[in-house]
Amino acid sequence: MKHYAEINHFNICTGIMTMPKEVDRENYLEIEDFNNDLLWRKYDQETETWSEEKFLPDRPAIQLDEFEQLKAEKDQLELTLNSVLQTNAMSLKTMAEQSRQLRDSQSLSADIMLKMARNSIN
């Protein structure tokens, strides 16, 4: 088992986890053992040490960041949905046109067959 500290873009540990195998992620730092005391400590990449002080999260700021992220995801989903709806509308319009053309073709074929039948009778 491998133990990892998940660090954010400020190099602050935001989570500790154990994985069954090695994980190669930029924000995962392998640690010797499962140590919850590293939570909210800052990792110094030059000295490869953890800070003594903890950098506890500012809850309102985190909630605002999460809100902004969710809003951006919602906006992206709406754009994707609108694109899908437009594509579906165009497909339905194309299908309706093809259906009309098929009916016209079938009607024309029926007329031709009727004329051929009349000509063979005469």
Side-chain angles (χ1 to χ4, degrees):
M1 296 292 233
K2 301 276 185 178
H3 305 287
Y4 294 92
E6 183 177 8
I7 56 175
N8 65 14
H9 56 281
F10 297 115
N11 287 338
I12 296 173
C13 177
T14 58
I16 304 292
M17 61 209 67
T18 301
M19 301 292 200
K21 60 182 181 176
E22 189 169 327
V23 176
D24 185 24
R25 290 184 65 182
E26 188 176 306
N27 63 327
Y28 279 31
L29 182 67
E30 189 171 349
I31 55 178
E32 287 184 27
D33 55 12
F34 193 93
N35 182 355
N36 276 328
D37 190 51
L38 295 177
L39 274 174
W40 310 118
R41 295 188 189 276
K42 187 171 187 172
Y43 182 71
D44 185 331
Q45 292 179 338
E46 290 178 15
T47 62
E48 296 183 352
T49 58
W50 294 94
S51 68
E52 290 296 320
E53 64 184 307
K54 290 193 174 193
F55 297 85
L56 296 175
D58 179 7
R59 281 288 170 212
I62 288 175
Q63 289 172 346
L64 184 59
D65 287 346
E66 289 173 353
F67 173 78
E68 293 295 329
Q69 181 180 356
L70 289 171
K71 185 179 181 312
E73 289 173 6
K74 175 189 144 301
D75 291 345
Q76 183 60 45
L77 284 172
E78 285 177 347
L79 286 172
T80 302
L81 178 61
N82 285 336
S83 175
V84 168
L85 291 174
Q86 286 177 347
T87 301
N88 286 350
M90 289 172 29
S91 295
L92 287 172
K93 184 177 179 182
T94 300
M95 289 169 56
E97 178 62 25
Q98 289 173 343
S99 178
R100 186 192 60 74
Q101 289 173 352
L102 180 60
R103 280 193 309 272
D104 290 350
S105 175
Q106 289 170 336
S107 177
L108 183 60
S109 293
D111 287 346
I112 291 172
M113 289 178 71
L114 184 60
K115 286 179 184 176
M116 289 173 59
R118 285 183 185 157
N119 285 339
S120 68
I121 293 175
N122 293 337

